[in-house]
PDB file of all heavy atoms in Angstrom:
ATOM      1  N   LYS S   4       5.555   3.450  -2.676  1.00 84.00           N
ATOM      2  CA  LYS S   4       6.279   4.681  -3.068  1.00 84.00           C
ATOM      3  C   LYS S   4       6.376   5.736  -2.000  1.00 84.00           C
ATOM      4  O   LYS S   4       5.695   5.519  -0.954  1.00 84.00           O
ATOM      5  CB  LYS S   4       5.510   5.390  -4.268  1.00 84.00           C
ATOM      6  CG  LYS S   4       5.252   4.513  -5.410  1.00 84.00           C
ATOM      7  CD  LYS S   4       4.384   5.272  -6.483  1.00 84.00           C
ATOM      8  CE  LYS S   4       4.201   4.388  -7.643  1.00 84.00           C
ATOM      9  NZ  LYS S   4       3.172   4.786  -8.431  1.00 84.00           N
ATOM     10  N   GLY S   9      -0.777  15.010   3.111  1.00 83.00           N
ATOM     11  CA  GLY S   9      -1.558  16.178   2.528  1.00 83.00           C
ATOM     12  C   GLY S   9      -2.049  17.046   3.623  1.00 83.00           C
ATOM     13  O   GLY S   9      -1.167  17.480   4.445  1.00 83.00           O
ATOM     14  N   ARG S  23      -9.186   6.574  21.148  1.00 95.00           N
ATOM     15  CA  ARG S  23      -8.597   5.797  22.274  1.00 95.00           C
ATOM     16  C   ARG S  23      -9.474   4.713  22.619  1.00 95.00           C
ATOM     17  O   ARG S  23      -8.965   3.496  22.809  1.00 95.00           O
ATOM     18  CB  ARG S  23      -8.470   6.754  23.484  1.00 95.00           C
ATOM     19  CG  ARG S  23      -7.511   7.802  23.514  1.00 95.00           C
ATOM     20  CD  ARG S  23      -7.563   8.739  24.730  1.00 95.00           C
ATOM     21  NE  ARG S  23      -7.683   8.074  26.018  1.00 95.00           N
ATOM     22  CZ  ARG S  23      -6.629   7.937  26.809  1.00 95.00           C
ATOM     23  NH1 ARG S  23      -5.478   8.359  26.482  1.00 95.00           N
ATOM     24  NH2 ARG S  23      -6.779   7.233  27.963  1.00 95.00           N
ATOM     25  N   GLN S  46      -2.673  16.543  22.041  1.00 93.00           N
ATOM     26  CA  GLN S  46      -3.362  16.943  20.836  1.00 93.00           C
ATOM     27  C   GLN S  46      -2.994  16.058  19.699  1.00 93.00           C
ATOM     28  O   GLN S  46      -1.824  15.995  19.243  1.00 93.00           O
ATOM     29  CB  GLN S  46      -3.047  18.422  20.359  1.00 93.00           C
ATOM     30  CG  GLN S  46      -3.803  18.825  19.158  1.00 93.00           C
ATOM     31  CD  GLN S  46      -5.340  18.817  19.314  1.00 93.00           C
ATOM     32  OE1 GLN S  46      -5.894  19.310  20.197  1.00 93.00           O
ATOM     33  NE2 GLN S  46      -5.928  18.010  18.464  1.00 93.00           N
ATOM     34  N   LEU S  58      -3.882   9.156   8.673  1.00 95.00           N
ATOM     35  CA  LEU S  58      -2.782   8.820   9.587  1.00 95.00           C
ATOM     36  C   LEU S  58      -2.943   9.612  10.890  1.00 95.00           C
ATOM     37  O   LEU S  58      -3.154  10.938  10.763  1.00 95.00           O
ATOM     38  CB  LEU S  58      -1.406   9.139   8.970  1.00 95.00           C
ATOM     39  CG  LEU S  58      -0.193   8.885   9.792  1.00 95.00           C
ATOM     40  CD1 LEU S  58       0.077   7.479  10.205  1.00 95.00           C
ATOM     41  CD2 LEU S  58       1.033   9.490   9.115  1.00 95.00           C
ATOM     42  N   TYR S  59      -2.960   9.048  12.040  1.00 96.00           N
ATOM     43  CA  TYR S  59      -2.970   9.744  13.333  1.00 96.00           C
ATOM     44  C   TYR S  59      -1.634   9.818  13.851  1.00 96.00           C
ATOM     45  O   TYR S  59      -0.974   8.871  14.019  1.00 96.00           O
ATOM     46  CB  TYR S  59      -4.011   9.007  14.226  1.00 96.00           C
ATOM     47  CG  TYR S  59      -5.464   9.004  13.698  1.00 96.00           C
ATOM     48  CD1 TYR S  59      -5.949   7.871  13.057  1.00 96.00           C
ATOM     49  CD2 TYR S  59      -6.193  10.120  13.849  1.00 96.00           C
ATOM     50  CE1 TYR S  59      -7.284   7.903  12.565  1.00 96.00           C
ATOM     51  CE2 TYR S  59      -7.582  10.190  13.269  1.00 96.00           C
ATOM     52  CZ  TYR S  59      -7.973   9.073  12.718  1.00 96.00           C
ATOM     53  OH  TYR S  59      -9.284   8.949  12.205  1.00 96.00           O
ATOM     54  N   ALA S  60      -1.274  11.082  14.125  1.00 95.00           N
ATOM     55  CA  ALA S  60       0.135  11.307  14.739  1.00 95.00           C
ATOM     56  C   ALA S  60       0.010  12.166  16.027  1.00 95.00           C
ATOM     57  O   ALA S  60      -0.914  12.964  16.202  1.00 95.00           O
ATOM     58  CB  ALA S  60       0.929  11.961  13.681  1.00 95.00           C
ATOM     59  N   PRO S  77      -1.882  -0.198  13.669  1.00 97.00           N
ATOM     60  CA  PRO S  77      -0.828   0.574  14.401  1.00 97.00           C
ATOM     61  C   PRO S  77       0.460   0.788  13.369  1.00 97.00           C
ATOM     62  O   PRO S  77       0.649  -0.092  12.520  1.00 97.00           O
ATOM     63  CB  PRO S  77      -0.350  -0.378  15.433  1.00 97.00           C
ATOM     64  CG  PRO S  77      -0.741  -1.743  15.043  1.00 97.00           C
ATOM     65  CD  PRO S  77      -1.973  -1.556  14.258  1.00 97.00           C
ATOM     66  N   LEU S  79       4.393   0.663  12.587  1.00 96.00           N
ATOM     67  CA  LEU S  79       5.374  -0.277  13.090  1.00 96.00           C
ATOM     68  C   LEU S  79       6.198   0.243  14.294  1.00 96.00           C
ATOM     69  O   LEU S  79       6.730  -0.479  15.058  1.00 96.00           O
ATOM     70  CB  LEU S  79       6.304  -0.709  11.901  1.00 96.00           C
ATOM     71  CG  LEU S  79       5.826  -1.800  11.068  1.00 96.00           C
ATOM     72  CD1 LEU S  79       6.645  -2.062   9.849  1.00 96.00           C
ATOM     73  CD2 LEU S  79       5.657  -3.078  11.919  1.00 96.00           C
ATOM     74  N   ARG S  80       6.307   1.589  14.344  1.00 95.00           N
ATOM     75  CA  ARG S  80       7.116   2.100  15.644  1.00 95.00           C
ATOM     76  C   ARG S  80       6.308   1.780  16.786  1.00 95.00           C
ATOM     77  O   ARG S  80       6.904   1.627  17.935  1.00 95.00           O
ATOM     78  CB  ARG S  80       7.390   3.591  15.419  1.00 95.00           C
ATOM     79  CG  ARG S  80       8.204   3.851  14.123  1.00 95.00           C
ATOM     80  CD  ARG S  80       8.559   5.318  14.065  1.00 95.00           C
ATOM     81  NE  ARG S  80       8.997   5.776  12.734  1.00 95.00           N
ATOM     82  CZ  ARG S  80      10.149   5.572  12.237  1.00 95.00           C
ATOM     83  NH1 ARG S  80      11.099   5.017  12.950  1.00 95.00           N
ATOM     84  NH2 ARG S  80      10.514   5.972  11.036  1.00 95.00           N
ATOM     85  N   PRO S  86       5.668  -4.593  21.818  1.00 92.00           N
ATOM     86  CA  PRO S  86       5.714  -5.896  20.934  1.00 92.00           C
ATOM     87  C   PRO S  86       4.711  -6.941  21.421  1.00 92.00           C
ATOM     88  O   PRO S  86       4.197  -7.692  20.616  1.00 92.00           O
ATOM     89  CB  PRO S  86       7.134  -6.327  20.870  1.00 92.00           C
ATOM     90  CG  PRO S  86       7.710  -5.751  22.196  1.00 92.00           C
ATOM     91  CD  PRO S  86       7.081  -4.490  22.414  1.00 92.00           C
ATOM     92  N   ILE S  94       6.750 -15.452   9.429  1.00 95.00           N
ATOM     93  CA  ILE S  94       7.162 -15.989   8.137  1.00 95.00           C
ATOM     94  C   ILE S  94       8.374 -16.649   8.055  1.00 95.00           C
ATOM     95  O   ILE S  94       9.205 -16.387   8.898  1.00 95.00           O
ATOM     96  CB  ILE S  94       6.956 -14.751   7.049  1.00 95.00           C
ATOM     97  CG1 ILE S  94       8.051 -13.569   7.424  1.00 95.00           C
ATOM     98  CG2 ILE S  94       5.612 -14.270   6.778  1.00 95.00           C
ATOM     99  CD1 ILE S  94       8.162 -12.532   6.329  1.00 95.00           C
ATOM    100  N   ARG S  96      12.215 -17.592   6.241  1.00 94.00           N
ATOM    101  CA  ARG S  96      13.296 -16.813   5.716  1.00 94.00           C
ATOM    102  C   ARG S  96      13.078 -16.489   4.243  1.00 94.00           C
ATOM    103  O   ARG S  96      13.439 -15.551   3.805  1.00 94.00           O
ATOM    104  CB  ARG S  96      14.620 -17.474   5.928  1.00 94.00           C
ATOM    105  CG  ARG S  96      15.078 -17.625   7.284  1.00 94.00           C
ATOM    106  CD  ARG S  96      16.458 -18.214   7.447  1.00 94.00           C
ATOM    107  NE  ARG S  96      16.952 -18.372   8.803  1.00 94.00           N
ATOM    108  CZ  ARG S  96      17.377 -17.456   9.555  1.00 94.00           C
ATOM    109  NH1 ARG S  96      17.543 -16.326   8.998  1.00 94.00           N
ATOM    110  NH2 ARG S  96      17.751 -17.723  10.774  1.00 94.00           N
ATOM    111  N   LEU S 103       9.564  -7.349   2.409  1.00 93.00           N
ATOM    112  CA  LEU S 103      10.293  -6.110   2.566  1.00 93.00           C
ATOM    113  C   LEU S 103      10.297  -5.314   1.176  1.00 93.00           C
ATOM    114  O   LEU S 103      10.701  -4.183   1.185  1.00 93.00           O
ATOM    115  CB  LEU S 103      11.588  -6.331   3.102  1.00 93.00           C
ATOM    116  CG  LEU S 103      11.600  -6.799   4.564  1.00 93.00           C
ATOM    117  CD1 LEU S 103      13.078  -6.900   5.052  1.00 93.00           C
ATOM    118  CD2 LEU S 103      10.901  -5.793   5.364  1.00 93.00           C
ATOM    119  N   ALA S 110       0.164 -17.417   1.686  1.00 94.00           N
ATOM    120  CA  ALA S 110       0.045 -18.450   2.698  1.00 94.00           C
ATOM    121  C   ALA S 110       1.189 -19.417   2.866  1.00 94.00           C
ATOM    122  O   ALA S 110       1.529 -19.822   3.945  1.00 94.00           O
ATOM    123  CB  ALA S 110      -1.248 -19.239   2.559  1.00 94.00           C
ATOM    124  N   PRO S 111       1.920 -19.764   1.748  1.00 94.00           N
ATOM    125  CA  PRO S 111       3.059 -20.730   1.902  1.00 94.00           C
ATOM    126  C   PRO S 111       4.206 -20.120   2.681  1.00 94.00           C
ATOM    127  O   PRO S 111       4.796 -20.935   3.359  1.00 94.00           O
ATOM    128  CB  PRO S 111       3.497 -20.929   0.477  1.00 94.00           C
ATOM    129  CG  PRO S 111       2.328 -20.614  -0.461  1.00 94.00           C
ATOM    130  CD  PRO S 111       1.521 -19.606   0.275  1.00 94.00           C
ATOM    131  N   LEU S 113       3.744 -18.643   5.448  1.00 94.00           N
ATOM    132  CA  LEU S 113       3.371 -18.807   6.815  1.00 94.00           C
ATOM    133  C   LEU S 113       3.301 -20.221   7.228  1.00 94.00           C
ATOM    134  O   LEU S 113       3.510 -20.581   8.414  1.00 94.00           O
ATOM    135  CB  LEU S 113       1.992 -18.258   7.113  1.00 94.00           C
ATOM    136  CG  LEU S 113       1.863 -16.667   6.715  1.00 94.00           C
ATOM    137  CD1 LEU S 113       0.432 -16.292   6.684  1.00 94.00           C
ATOM    138  CD2 LEU S 113       2.587 -15.929   7.898  1.00 94.00           C
ATOM    139  N   ASP S 122      -2.194 -21.177  17.413  1.00 91.00           N
ATOM    140  CA  ASP S 122      -3.007 -22.425  17.554  1.00 91.00           C
ATOM    141  C   ASP S 122      -4.507 -22.126  17.428  1.00 91.00           C
ATOM    142  O   ASP S 122      -4.946 -20.948  17.306  1.00 91.00           O
ATOM    143  CB  ASP S 122      -2.767 -23.003  19.054  1.00 91.00           C
ATOM    144  CG  ASP S 122      -1.439 -23.418  19.225  1.00 91.00           C
ATOM    145  OD1 ASP S 122      -0.796 -23.884  18.303  1.00 91.00           O
ATOM    146  OD2 ASP S 122      -0.842 -23.316  20.325  1.00 91.00           O
ATOM    147  N   ALA S 125      -6.312 -19.623  19.768  1.00 89.00           N
ATOM    148  CA  ALA S 125      -5.907 -18.153  19.619  1.00 89.00           C
ATOM    149  C   ALA S 125      -6.052 -17.792  18.071  1.00 89.00           C
ATOM    150  O   ALA S 125      -5.451 -16.867  17.703  1.00 89.00           O
ATOM    151  CB  ALA S 125      -4.527 -17.892  20.058  1.00 89.00           C
ATOM    152  N   LYS S 128      -9.180 -14.323  12.742  1.00 94.00           N
ATOM    153  CA  LYS S 128     -10.176 -14.391  11.722  1.00 94.00           C
ATOM    154  C   LYS S 128      -9.890 -13.469  10.563  1.00 94.00           C
ATOM    155  O   LYS S 128      -9.105 -12.557  10.822  1.00 94.00           O
ATOM    156  CB  LYS S 128     -11.572 -13.957  12.330  1.00 94.00           C
ATOM    157  CG  LYS S 128     -12.039 -15.106  13.383  1.00 94.00           C
ATOM    158  CD  LYS S 128     -13.363 -14.670  14.002  1.00 94.00           C
ATOM    159  CE  LYS S 128     -13.849 -15.590  15.026  1.00 94.00           C
ATOM    160  NZ  LYS S 128     -12.973 -16.313  15.815  1.00 94.00           N
ATOM    161  N   ASP S 131      -8.907  -9.483  10.790  1.00 94.00           N
ATOM    162  CA  ASP S 131      -8.217  -9.112  12.042  1.00 94.00           C
ATOM    163  C   ASP S 131      -6.827  -8.545  11.574  1.00 94.00           C
ATOM    164  O   ASP S 131      -6.179  -8.926  10.545  1.00 94.00           O
ATOM    165  CB  ASP S 131      -7.925 -10.311  12.853  1.00 94.00           C
ATOM    166  CG  ASP S 131      -9.183 -10.731  13.560  1.00 94.00           C
ATOM    167  OD1 ASP S 131     -10.135 -10.151  13.545  1.00 94.00           O
ATOM    168  OD2 ASP S 131      -9.201 -11.816  14.381  1.00 94.00           O
ATOM    169  N   GLU S 138      11.335 -15.023  10.481  1.00 93.00           N
ATOM    170  CA  GLU S 138      12.114 -16.069  11.179  1.00 93.00           C
ATOM    171  C   GLU S 138      13.597 -15.563  11.438  1.00 93.00           C
ATOM    172  O   GLU S 138      14.217 -15.160  10.581  1.00 93.00           O
ATOM    173  CB  GLU S 138      12.108 -17.337  10.273  1.00 93.00           C
ATOM    174  CG  GLU S 138      12.969 -18.480  10.763  1.00 93.00           C
ATOM    175  CD  GLU S 138      13.124 -19.667   9.839  1.00 93.00           C
ATOM    176  OE1 GLU S 138      12.650 -19.376   8.600  1.00 93.00           O
ATOM    177  OE2 GLU S 138      13.501 -20.695  10.196  1.00 93.00           O
ATOM    178  N   VAL S 146       2.802  -5.220   9.264  1.00 96.00           N
ATOM    179  CA  VAL S 146       1.516  -5.190   9.899  1.00 96.00           C
ATOM    180  C   VAL S 146       0.458  -4.911   8.943  1.00 96.00           C
ATOM    181  O   VAL S 146       0.573  -4.049   8.048  1.00 96.00           O
ATOM    182  CB  VAL S 146       1.496  -4.097  11.138  1.00 96.00           C
ATOM    183  CG1 VAL S 146       1.633  -2.666  10.589  1.00 96.00           C
ATOM    184  CG2 VAL S 146       0.162  -4.262  11.920  1.00 96.00           C
ATOM    185  N   GLN S 148      -3.934  -6.366   7.534  1.00 95.00           N
ATOM    186  CA  GLN S 148      -5.214  -6.997   7.810  1.00 95.00           C
ATOM    187  C   GLN S 148      -5.229  -8.381   7.012  1.00 95.00           C
ATOM    188  O   GLN S 148      -4.936  -8.427   5.866  1.00 95.00           O
ATOM    189  CB  GLN S 148      -6.329  -6.036   7.300  1.00 95.00           C
ATOM    190  CG  GLN S 148      -7.587  -6.228   7.951  1.00 95.00           C
ATOM    191  CD  GLN S 148      -8.573  -5.153   7.530  1.00 95.00           C
ATOM    192  OE1 GLN S 148      -8.259  -4.336   6.732  1.00 95.00           O
ATOM    193  NE2 GLN S 148      -9.807  -5.260   8.018  1.00 95.00           N
ATOM    194  N   GLY S 152      -8.705 -16.280   7.524  1.00 94.00           N
ATOM    195  CA  GLY S 152      -8.373 -16.645   8.894  1.00 94.00           C
ATOM    196  C   GLY S 152      -7.270 -17.640   8.956  1.00 94.00           C
ATOM    197  O   GLY S 152      -6.899 -18.271   7.974  1.00 94.00           O
ATOM    198  N   GLU S 155      -7.988 -21.237   8.059  1.00 95.00           N
ATOM    199  CA  GLU S 155      -8.277 -21.458   6.568  1.00 95.00           C
ATOM    200  C   GLU S 155      -6.757 -21.406   5.984  1.00 95.00           C
ATOM    201  O   GLU S 155      -6.626 -22.205   4.985  1.00 95.00           O
ATOM    202  CB  GLU S 155      -9.147 -20.233   6.120  1.00 95.00           C
ATOM    203  CG  GLU S 155      -9.397 -20.475   4.657  1.00 95.00           C
ATOM    204  CD  GLU S 155     -10.255 -19.293   4.143  1.00 95.00           C
ATOM    205  OE1 GLU S 155     -10.662 -18.299   4.939  1.00 95.00           O
ATOM    206  OE2 GLU S 155     -10.577 -19.236   2.964  1.00 95.00           O
ATOM    207  N   ASP S 173       8.952   1.107   3.880  1.00 92.00           N
ATOM    208  CA  ASP S 173       7.977   1.544   2.930  1.00 92.00           C
ATOM    209  C   ASP S 173       7.901   3.134   2.987  1.00 92.00           C
ATOM    210  O   ASP S 173       8.512   3.738   3.753  1.00 92.00           O
ATOM    211  CB  ASP S 173       6.750   0.898   2.984  1.00 92.00           C
ATOM    212  CG  ASP S 173       5.974   1.183   4.289  1.00 92.00           C
ATOM    213  OD1 ASP S 173       6.429   1.830   5.188  1.00 92.00           O
ATOM    214  OD2 ASP S 173       4.855   0.589   4.499  1.00 92.00           O
ATOM    215  N   TRP S 176       6.951   4.280   6.529  1.00 93.00           N
ATOM    216  CA  TRP S 176       8.023   4.177   7.565  1.00 93.00           C
ATOM    217  C   TRP S 176       9.010   5.311   7.300  1.00 93.00           C
ATOM    218  O   TRP S 176       9.568   5.856   8.300  1.00 93.00           O
ATOM    219  CB  TRP S 176       8.778   2.846   7.315  1.00 93.00           C
ATOM    220  CG  TRP S 176       9.857   2.655   8.087  1.00 93.00           C
ATOM    221  CD1 TRP S 176      11.250   2.810   7.829  1.00 93.00           C
ATOM    222  CD2 TRP S 176       9.986   2.162   9.481  1.00 93.00           C
ATOM    223  NE1 TRP S 176      12.068   2.501   8.789  1.00 93.00           N
ATOM    224  CE2 TRP S 176      11.293   2.100   9.833  1.00 93.00           C
ATOM    225  CE3 TRP S 176       8.907   1.711  10.408  1.00 93.00           C
ATOM    226  CZ2 TRP S 176      11.686   1.730  11.158  1.00 93.00           C
ATOM    227  CZ3 TRP S 176       9.317   1.404  11.722  1.00 93.00           C
ATOM    228  CH2 TRP S 176      10.731   1.310  12.056  1.00 93.00           C
TER     229      TRP S 176
END
Side-chain angles (χ1 to χ4, degrees):
K4 299 177 185 168
R23 282 173 55 100
Q46 180 60 54
L58 175 68
Y59 295 99
L79 275 171
R80 296 184 203 280
I94 56 173
R96 290 185 186 277
L103 293 181
L113 298 166
D122 297 327
K128 295 178 181 27
D131 287 354
E138 177 186 12
V146 61
Q148 211 174 354
E155 187 180 357
D173 68 359
W176 178 263

